[in-house]
Amino acid sequence: MALQALIFDVDGTLANTERDGHLVAFNLAFEEMGLDWVWSNELYHKLLDVTGGQLRIKYYLKEYNSEFQHDDIDGLAASIHALKTKIYVRLMDKGAVPLRPGVERLFHEARAAGLRMAIATTTTPANVDALIANTLGREALDWFEVIGAGNVVPKLKPAGDIYHWVLEKMNLEAKDCIAFEDSCNGIISAADANLKTLITINEYTESHQFDGAMVILNNLGEPNKPFILIEGDDTDATYVTVDYLKELYAKHC
Ligand code: XBP
Ligand code: MG
């Protein structure tokens, strides 16, 4: 048994797209549509309990703006979301959000080591394309054998559907892979598909529960910028390399 593939979440894991991309795009979309809604960073932190942009808008209306009346909430949420996606892609085109520490390096090392790579996310496919193309170049989209995104599956994270879908498309079993996540909804989703997970936290997820995580780190680290081990076995590694992933795999998978 050997490690064969790495499966990456996108939002919050590859980049801090929630704060610097999605939240900004939501607020610009509200403004452009003449809505007087403004989501603060604090409110967005709470709204992130619900994955998927359209569901998040409806959750906001139900829990935080119940006096707002409209005779077609689903239609309105869909229109706002379509505009928000356009704005988000434009922000990515301007280079609004860099990749998190260690992400690009690990992609290169994994490819050099012959590991297969895939993406499993609840975000809209256009958002994934825009982030990858603008940070790594359009050809980097081909580094991922499968990109599982948005509503290719009926149920978004924390349901495990997207991870099951990716594993099936890659013709792999969970025991052959490691998942990378940043949130409790993400690890619940990965665990539903029996995947072992490496967590890198961010400002929105540092207080989340990560039951069953192989390790919890502040980020993947770089040679000159070691990661901080938040939870997990002591290691000589100071940044996440393929060798470190193999070490984790041998212990946990
Ligand atoms: C990502 C999400 C998404 C994005 C917005 O979760 O929850 O809803 O915030 O994307 P994960 P859309 O990182 O677990 O995949 O607006 O395109 O839905
Ligand atoms: Mg995430």
Side-chain angles (χ1 to χ4, degrees):
M1 228 170 63
L3 176 61
Q4 293 188 46
L6 311 181
I7 309 178
F8 295 91
D9 169 50
V10 174
D11 295 307
T13 299
L14 299 187
N16 284 321
T17 44
E18 293 294 7
R19 187 193 60 201
D20 302 332
H22 293 292
L23 174 57
V24 177
F26 274 118
N27 280 324
L28 287 170
F30 301 152
E31 198 183 332
E32 206 170 312
M33 290 192 66
L35 296 160
D36 64 356
W37 314 344
V38 179
W39 288 358
S40 66
N41 194 36
E42 195 191 352
L43 173 62
Y44 196 62
H45 194 155
K46 296 178 188 146
L47 298 177
L48 281 172
D49 286 349
V50 172
T51 60
Q54 291 195 49
L55 293 176
R56 192 168 297 144
I57 291 166
K58 288 189 258 184
Y59 176 64
Y60 160 72
L61 287 174
K62 187 162 165 276
E63 296 296 329
Y64 299 95
N65 194 358
S66 54
E67 65 278 12
F68 179 83
Q69 295 296 318
H70 194 279
D71 52 16
D72 180 14
I73 293 289
D74 284 349
L76 178 68
S79 309
I80 297 169
H81 189 252
L83 177 59
K84 176 251 170 186
T85 300
K86 273 193 203 153
I87 295 171
Y88 180 92
V89 168
R90 251 184 265 141
L91 289 172
M92 296 302 116
D93 288 347
K94 283 194 214 146
V97 187
L99 296 176
R100 295 188 65 189
V103 169
E104 179 170 1
R105 176 188 51 74
L106 184 62
F107 285 162
H108 288 295
E109 289 176 18
R111 277 166 54 72
L115 291 176
R116 297 164 66 187
M117 297 200 295
I119 279 174
T121 174
T122 57
T123 204
T124 304
N127 299 344
V128 183
D129 283 19
L131 176 72
I132 299 290
N134 284 294
T135 52
L136 297 166
R138 186 142 288 282
E139 64 287 354
L141 286 163
D142 296 335
W143 298 355
F144 303 93
E145 201 175 310
V146 172
I147 297 185
N151 53 6
V152 289
V153 289
K155 281 190 264 142
L156 302 183
K157 296 175 187 178
D161 300 28
I162 194 69
Y163 279 104
H164 286 288
W165 188 87
V166 167
L167 287 174
E168 199 185 312
K169 290 271 168 207
M170 293 182 92
N171 200 16
L172 282 171
E173 290 183 44
K175 66 173 176 49
D176 305 321
C177 313
I178 287 178
F180 294 73
E181 277 287 354
D182 69 304
S183 69
C184 60
N185 281 329
I187 193 172
I188 292 168
S189 172
D192 184 77
N194 288 321
L195 284 155
K196 291 290 182 200
T197 303
L198 180 156
I199 299 288
T200 49
I201 54 164
N202 57 56
E203 69 176 284
Y204 293 126
T205 67
E206 59 193 3
S207 61
H208 284 192
Q209 287 287 313
F210 293 110
D211 297 337
M214 292 191 298
V215 67
I216 306 174
L217 307 171
N218 66 328
N219 59 51
L220 298 176
E222 293 284 22
N224 60 355
K225 199 174 168 222
F227 59 57
I228 297 171
L229 178 68
I230 292 159
E231 211 177 295
D233 294 332
D234 275 343
T235 174
D236 291 335
T238 58
Y239 57 101
V240 175
T241 59
V242 169
D243 282 346
Y244 177 59
L245 294 177
K246 287 182 176 166
E247 181 185 318
L248 287 174
Y249 180 84
K251 272 188 203 147
H252 297 271
C253 300

Short mmCIF file of all heavy atoms in Angstrom, two decimals, residues 9-13 18 157 181-183, ligand 2:
data_model
loop_
_atom_site.label_atom_id
_atom_site.label_comp_id
_atom_site.label_asym_id
_atom_site.label_seq_id
_atom_site.Cartn_x
_atom_site.Cartn_y
_atom_site.Cartn_z
N ASP A 9 -9.14 20.55 -1.07
CA ASP A 9 -10.20 21.55 -0.99
C ASP A 9 -9.63 22.85 -1.57
O ASP A 9 -8.40 22.98 -1.70
CB ASP A 9 -10.60 21.74 0.48
CG ASP A 9 -11.48 22.94 0.69
OD1 ASP A 9 -12.48 23.06 -0.05
OD2 ASP A 9 -11.19 23.76 1.59
N VAL A 10 -10.47 23.81 -1.88
CA VAL A 10 -9.99 25.07 -2.47
C VAL A 10 -10.10 26.23 -1.48
O VAL A 10 -9.10 26.76 -0.99
CB VAL A 10 -10.76 25.39 -3.78
CG1 VAL A 10 -10.36 26.77 -4.31
CG2 VAL A 10 -10.49 24.32 -4.81
N ASP A 11 -11.35 26.63 -1.19
CA ASP A 11 -11.56 27.84 -0.38
C ASP A 11 -11.02 27.66 1.03
O ASP A 11 -11.42 26.75 1.75
CB ASP A 11 -13.06 28.18 -0.33
CG ASP A 11 -13.58 28.56 -1.70
OD1 ASP A 11 -12.98 29.45 -2.32
OD2 ASP A 11 -14.56 27.95 -2.15
N GLY A 12 -10.11 28.52 1.41
CA GLY A 12 -9.54 28.47 2.76
C GLY A 12 -8.35 27.53 2.86
O GLY A 12 -7.55 27.65 3.77
N THR A 13 -8.23 26.60 1.92
CA THR A 13 -7.14 25.62 1.96
C THR A 13 -6.03 26.03 1.00
O THR A 13 -4.87 26.16 1.40
CB THR A 13 -7.66 24.20 1.61
OG1 THR A 13 -8.64 23.83 2.58
CG2 THR A 13 -6.53 23.18 1.60
N GLU A 18 -12.11 33.07 0.97
CA GLU A 18 -13.37 33.46 1.60
C GLU A 18 -13.34 34.94 1.96
O GLU A 18 -14.22 35.70 1.57
CB GLU A 18 -13.65 32.62 2.86
CG GLU A 18 -13.93 31.14 2.57
CD GLU A 18 -15.22 30.87 1.79
OE1 GLU A 18 -15.88 31.82 1.34
OE2 GLU A 18 -15.55 29.69 1.61
N LYS A 157 -20.72 19.89 0.78
CA LYS A 157 -20.11 19.59 2.08
C LYS A 157 -20.98 20.22 3.18
O LYS A 157 -21.55 21.29 2.93
CB LYS A 157 -18.70 20.20 2.17
CG LYS A 157 -17.72 19.61 1.18
CD LYS A 157 -16.39 20.37 1.26
CE LYS A 157 -15.44 19.93 0.16
NZ LYS A 157 -14.17 20.67 0.17
N GLU A 181 -7.79 19.94 3.92
CA GLU A 181 -8.97 20.73 4.25
C GLU A 181 -8.63 21.83 5.24
O GLU A 181 -7.57 21.79 5.87
CB GLU A 181 -10.06 19.82 4.85
CG GLU A 181 -10.92 19.09 3.84
CD GLU A 181 -11.91 20.01 3.12
OE1 GLU A 181 -12.00 21.20 3.50
OE2 GLU A 181 -12.56 19.55 2.17
N ASP A 182 -9.58 22.76 5.40
CA ASP A 182 -9.38 23.85 6.36
C ASP A 182 -10.52 24.01 7.34
O ASP A 182 -10.43 24.84 8.25
CB ASP A 182 -9.23 25.20 5.62
CG ASP A 182 -10.55 25.62 4.99
OD1 ASP A 182 -11.09 24.83 4.19
OD2 ASP A 182 -11.06 26.70 5.32
N SER A 183 -11.62 23.26 7.15
CA SER A 183 -12.81 23.55 7.96
C SER A 183 -13.45 22.27 8.50
O SER A 183 -13.17 21.16 8.01
CB SER A 183 -13.84 24.27 7.09
OG SER A 183 -14.35 23.38 6.12
MG MG B 2 -12.56 25.08 2.59
#
